[in-house]
Amino acid sequence: MRLCEHDQMGEDDGYSTPEEAALSRWEPAANARVREVRMQRYRATVLVDTDLSDSLTVRCARRTDGRWEWTHESSA
């Protein structure tokens, strides 16, 4: 698994979608892509496939400003 140390925008900026948040910490070499998204009010579960590992489940949350952030990652 190859995650970047810091996401590209910075955690304070947030993301427009849970998909953007889920993909934000992957290095380009991982070729990360979204396979599935499940939304539940202010939370999203994003299934991410990469060339470097098995599928991973990334949990994201919508902040009070409407932007999304990565909150947790685990094996699928």
Side-chain angles (χ1 to χ4, degrees):
M1 170 174 45
R2 281 192 152 171
L3 296 175
C4 294
E5 278 188 39
H6 303 287
D7 59 27
Q8 295 171 1
M9 288 179 63
E11 293 180 19
D12 291 339
D13 294 332
Y15 296 89
S16 298
T17 67
E19 294 90 340
E20 287 179 6
L23 295 176
S24 66
R25 296 188 185 183
W26 293 97
E27 292 181 2
N31 194 29
R33 56 214 171 267
V34 173
R35 194 168 102 189
E36 182 181 340
V37 179
R38 287 182 233 132
M39 303 282 289
Q40 218 177 25
R41 295 183 71 180
Y42 300 106
R43 301 214 177 270
T45 301
V46 183
L47 187 60
V48 176
D49 280 340
T50 72
D51 290 346
L52 304 173
S53 68
D54 293 332
S55 297
L56 296 173
T57 301
V58 178
R59 289 180 178 78
C60 302
R62 187 172 7 200
R63 305 182 320 194
T64 56
D65 65 1
R67 306 289 286 171
W68 289 87
E69 62 186 4
W70 169 305
T71 59
H72 181 75
E73 167 261 311
S74 63
S75 297

